[in-house]
Amino acid sequence: MRAAIVALSCLLSLPAAAAGPFGKIVVGNWSGGTFTNDQTGAFSHCAVSARYKSGVTMLTSVTAQFSWLLGFTKPEWRLRTGETLKLQLVFDRSSTIDVTANIKSPTLVTIAMPAQSALINAFRQGRYLELVANDARYTFALTSTGEMLPALVECVKQSANVRGPVTPGAPVQAQTPEATEKERVARAEKKVLLEKTRDLIRSKMLACIGREGAPMLLTDEKAEVVAKAAMLFCKGDVDALTNATIELIETEDGRPANRSAVRDAAEKRVQEVVTAHVIRTRGEMIGKSQRPDNPTPSRPTDSGSRPSQSL
């Protein structure tokens, strides 16, 4: 139990430590609570763990910014701290997701689990998970994950004002200085320029998608399917818009961010833009096809003939 608490406390980063758990989360076979930063006493993250017969403990955590991590720890592991490890996560023996794990300590690995990603959805909905690393394979029953994840979200909402003890002599992390007025103005000007660039790229991309996706617009395919297909034909423009969106997100935040998480968010934004464009264009095309733009003037009919009918 002590090993699990230590792993939960350092799930987010090393060597920074965390105090806790404060309060208690118990959902199915998961248990944990709220953790605070040893250096500042501020709320750090909410985390839970579940131990399995294999000797592996699985951990899940979420920060105040709703950054999710999945972790695995086993006392017998002898890993090289600071390196990465290629893993496969197999859900219900049917869905395989390749991931890169960060080795946080000789016995602990963590995996980023972006919100709205295929990984977190599979973790929430799956029944079984297999962790595959080279020739090692560990199997986990995903008990109560559908209830555990919302419980962690609620923990974060309730823990914003939690204060923990500050450890004397704990190394102080470098603090990011407050941006000066000049820096804020420069960032605002850069944001305006990036927004204009993004809008130009988006217009070019949507024009391409209008051409490439036109044959599919009036089919029965869902808008999301049409959008994804059109995006493949216009991949260069889509990638350019994604990169512009990433730069804009980082400029808005005022600092470099988790590139993987930002890319996921940017790709999601681009797909939403394309899907909305497909839905809007499809509606306009349907409306135009049902509206006679140039009605033909009526002509007198022969007394013995019937007026024609239109559908």
Side-chain angles (χ1 to χ4, degrees):
M1 181 64 181
R2 173 62 183 168
I5 292 176
V6 171
L8 285 170
S9 67
C10 63
L11 187 56
L12 294 179
S13 62
L14 289 173
F22 302 100
K24 194 167 186 179
I25 302 173
V26 178
V27 181
N29 60 329
W30 299 90
S31 62
T34 299
F35 293 83
T36 59
N37 189 304
D38 261 359
Q39 300 163 3
T40 65
F43 167 63
S44 172
H45 60 286
C46 289
V48 292
S49 68
R51 182 173 173 80
Y52 292 82
K53 291 181 180 179
S54 62
V56 178
T57 296
M58 182 160 51
L59 316 115
T60 309
S61 77
V62 60
T63 68
Q65 292 74 38
F66 295 100
S67 296
W68 293 86
L69 281 181
L70 182 63
F72 299 90
T73 181
K74 187 176 183 181
E76 291 77 18
W77 285 345
R78 296 293 180 267
L79 305 173
R80 290 189 288 273
T81 302
E83 295 188 2
T84 59
L85 187 63
K86 298 293 185 182
L87 303 173
Q88 284 188 325
L89 301 179
V90 184
F91 293 91
D92 298 332
R93 297 184 178 177
S94 60
S95 175
T96 300
I97 299 177
D98 295 318
V99 297
T100 299
N102 294 305
I103 301 174
K104 294 296 186 180
S105 79
T107 61
L108 172 66
V109 298
T110 64
I111 300 163
M113 190 164 59
Q116 308 304 321
S117 65
L119 174 55
I120 198 169
N121 288 335
F123 184 67
R124 180 188 296 112
Q125 300 167 8
R127 297 178 60 196
Y128 295 96
L129 166 63
E130 292 175 280
L131 170 66
V132 183
N134 298 325
D135 56 350
R137 182 182 292 263
Y138 302 94
T139 302
F140 310 89
L142 297 179
T143 305
S144 304
T145 53
E147 294 77 29
M148 176 268 287
L149 295 176
L152 281 178
V153 171
E154 187 61 28
C155 171
V156 170
K157 292 178 179 178
Q158 300 294 330
S159 302
N161 296 321
V162 170
R163 302 293 300 180
V166 177
T167 302
V172 178
Q173 292 178 326
Q175 300 295 316
T176 303
E178 289 294 325
T180 65
E181 182 63 26
K182 184 177 180 180
E183 289 171 337
R184 282 194 289 271
V185 170
R187 191 162 69 236
E189 291 175 347
K190 182 179 180 181
K191 180 183 175 183
V192 170
L193 179 61
L194 286 173
E195 286 174 340
K196 290 180 179 178
T197 303
R198 177 204 59 191
D199 292 344
L200 289 172
I201 296 172
R202 180 167 57 191
S203 297
K204 184 173 180 290
M205 180 196 71
L206 292 179
C208 175
I209 285 173
R211 294 191 304 271
E212 301 298 339
M216 297 181 65
L217 283 174
L218 293 179
T219 66
D220 292 333
E221 292 288 355
K222 292 182 178 179
E224 292 82 358
V225 175
V226 176
K228 288 181 180 178
M231 288 169 69
L232 290 176
F233 289 108
C234 304
K235 189 174 186 304
D237 292 328
V238 171
D239 289 345
L241 181 58
T242 300
N243 291 332
T245 305
I246 289 172
E247 191 170 0
L248 182 57
I249 290 173
E250 290 188 340
T251 300
E252 289 171 344
D253 290 344
R255 62 184 184 280
N258 182 324
R259 295 290 290 192
S260 176
V262 171
R263 175 165 288 276
D264 288 341
E267 289 175 348
K268 185 172 183 293
R269 284 191 193 181
V270 172
Q271 186 166 332
E272 288 172 349
V273 167
V274 177
T275 302
H277 178 71
V278 169
I279 293 171
R280 183 172 60 255
T281 305
R282 177 178 279 177
E284 291 172 353
M285 291 178 67
I286 293 173
K288 187 177 293 186
S289 67
Q290 294 176 346
R291 184 178 64 250
D293 293 327
N294 298 301
T296 304
S298 59
R299 296 182 302 173
T301 58
D302 296 335
S303 57
S305 65
R306 296 182 179 179
S308 62
Q309 298 183 57
S310 61
L311 297 178

